[in-house]
Amino acid sequence: MDDGASGAHTSQTHGSQGGTVTDTRGQQTQAASPLPGERQPQQSGGPYHPPQAYQTQGGNASAVRRPRTGARTTPRVRKARLRVSKADPWSVMKVSFLLSIALGVCTIVASAVLWMVMDAMGVFSTVGGTIAEATGSNESNGFDLQSFLSLPNVLLFATVIAVIDVVLATALATLGAFIYNLSAGFVGGVELTLAEDE
């Protein structure tokens, strides 16, 4: 039978027991739920707009998301790993010569200042008198420490030590540069890690 009021197509059949079976399957179709991973069909024919991860305030799509003021970013320090593969013996000799001259001048000045301080404190007179009494006899007065450790003698001795230091330091530094170059050919040299100063 057709029911004009409802507009649905229903059919009735008689079963074996004399009952009535009504078929309500008609034009009514329900939207099947999508399977996991499937995209739902779009209702409109416009372009696809992905969902926004962060909701804009006030519904304004042109609003710019501001970063958090409390977040502190750590500066990135650049590092470079370098290797000293060779040392120039000529440059090493020049630098070591100048440094040894500066060290020799400091030695002479320090010796003069130390002698003046000890002389002002009376160290030479006291120690000199004690040594003169210990080494003296009836014929001689003993060893005179004050004349031996006079300022000219101390400065002369300090100058000789400074000159020897200049020669030895320059020669040893130059020889060390040659030895380093030979050893760097086998082991690759000294590796340095340099970091950029912030």
Side-chain angles (χ1 to χ4, degrees), residues 64-78:
V64 179
R65 180 171 175 258
R66 297 180 180 178
R68 294 178 297 176
T69 56
R72 182 177 299 175
T73 59
T74 57
R76 184 178 180 182
V77 179
R78 293 186 299 178

Side-chain angles (χ1 to χ4, degrees), residues 5 15 25 42 63 82 86 110 119 122 125 138 155 157 161 167 176 180:
R25 294 177 300 174
Q42 299 179 0
L82 304 178
K86 184 180 179 181
D119 185 51
S125 60
N138 295 329
L155 292 179
F157 182 73
I161 295 298
V167 175
Y180 176 80

Side-chain angles (χ1 to χ4, degrees), residues 30-102:
Q30 296 180 357
S33 61
L35 296 176
E38 288 185 352
R39 182 182 299 175
Q40 294 183 359
Q42 299 179 0
Q43 298 296 331
S44 62
Y48 173 73
H49 298 284
Q52 294 183 358
Y54 300 95
Q55 297 294 333
T56 57
Q57 298 179 357
N60 189 5
S62 62
V64 179
R65 180 171 175 258
R66 297 180 180 178
R68 294 178 297 176
T69 56
R72 182 177 299 175
T73 59
T74 57
R76 184 178 180 182
V77 179
R78 293 186 299 178
K79 294 182 179 180
R81 190 173 184 179
L82 304 178
R83 178 180 298 173
V84 182
S85 60
K86 184 180 179 181
D88 188 13
W90 176 249
S91 62
V92 171
M93 185 183 70
K94 291 188 293 184
V95 172
S96 61
F97 178 72
L98 293 178
L99 290 179
S100 58
I101 285 180

Side-chain angles (χ1 to χ4, degrees), residues 133-178:
E133 291 178 1
T135 58
S137 61
N138 295 329
E139 291 82 9
S140 62
N141 294 329
F143 181 74
D144 190 5
L145 183 65
Q146 290 182 343
S147 62
F148 179 75
L149 292 180
S150 62
L151 182 60
N153 291 339
V154 170
L155 292 179
L156 178 63
F157 182 73
T159 304
V160 172
I161 295 298
V163 170
I164 295 175
D165 177 63
V166 168
V167 175
L168 289 179
T170 305
L172 290 177
T174 307
L175 181 62
F178 279 108

